[in-house]
Amino acid sequence: NGDIPMRDKNELTRLYSKLIKIMKSYHPSSDFTMINQAYEVAKEAHKEQYRKSGEPFFIHPLHVAIILAELKLDKETIMAALLHDVVEDTELTREDLEREFGHEVAFLVDGVTKLTNFSVEISEAGLSKEELKLESFRKLIMAMSNDIRVILIKLADRLHNMRTLKYKSPESQQRIARETMEIYSPIAQRLGISKIKVELDDLSLKYLEPEAYYDLVDKIAVRKSVREKYIQNIVDEVSEHIVNAGIKAQIDGRVKHFFSIYKKMKNQNKTIDQIYDLFAVRIIVDTVKDCYAALGVIHEMYKPIPGR
């Protein structure tokens, strides 16, 4: 009868609770009635559809909404994320959405639907790589979107599809990963959303160059949590010295992601042992004078490497 099994219902409820929890952490309004309505409508519309993984299809829009909530997006975007596949894949029309959720949400869903169809037309046109002119395709995607939020939903949609790419055929994996690397990742970079760009790059590398990817995973085998703790210790140490020197600064650290390490090894023809910066610490200060003062503190703390 198309009813969702209990285990899957529990998973949907868990994901929805997670979504609301994230939204409550940044959204000024505590009225999530319309979000709940979008959730119920989309869940009902997709109830007989399943993904290749065997999960209910609706798990996908929920994950897309969560990715966007983590970027602190507005309610309309979150509602559109929950509903982004209904016009494409179910009986519901744009008019239905407009009636129930207003013009803005319907407009966003319509934009995502058009983008999806446009991508399909392009890939079916059988053009050569040169003809596609990736740069103009990116610009076209930008131009087509009268609202930047359409692109954001599309990026989140692509990110979740990349996270679940293992259920696709090897041919599809290669095609989708290449398209992600050439089109979606540069758009995320251009919009300054490094969180999404970094994950898209790493996931693309995993399918385009699996040997190189797993080799890196193996060599940087120290667990992510251990690496992050290590970098945090350095940040704490640096912060203490910078504060003691009376310099006002914002300091953060990050663990370099696989793709950037891979790119550096390839471009500079080096092995992983020759790559210095698997970790990076950034110190942001107000003036050039403070910049030199901070550098002085760092040189007192750590030994500089000549020529680097």
Side-chain angles (χ1 to χ4, degrees), residues 31-50:
D31 177 12
F32 295 107
T33 325
M34 291 305 286
I35 302 277
N36 191 51
Q37 199 173 332
Y39 167 74
E40 293 297 346
V41 166
K43 184 169 74 170
E44 178 62 25
H46 289 299
K47 75 176 180 196
E48 294 184 14
Q49 297 169 346
Y50 287 83

Side-chain angles (χ1 to χ4, degrees), residues 220-280:
I220 309 172
V222 190
R223 284 198 324 279
K224 193 164 181 257
S225 57
V226 177
R227 302 205 315 266
E228 282 169 352
K229 190 161 187 265
Y230 172 77
I231 195 86
Q232 192 52 51
N233 289 341
I234 294 177
V235 168
D236 293 343
E237 208 173 281
V238 169
S239 301
E240 191 185 332
H241 283 77
I242 294 280
V243 167
N244 291 344
I247 303 164
K248 184 167 155 283
Q250 176 194 325
I251 302 168
D252 58 54
R254 65 193 173 91
V255 178
K256 288 286 184 81
H257 59 291
F258 292 132
F259 180 69
S260 71
I261 297 167
Y262 168 76
K263 209 162 65 174
K264 191 165 267 189
M265 284 165 62
K266 220 168 157 56
N267 292 347
Q268 299 177 7
N269 200 11
K270 289 181 170 173
T271 64
I272 186 120
D273 315 327
Q274 298 168 299
I275 300 283
Y276 281 98
D277 48 351
L278 298 178
F279 301 94

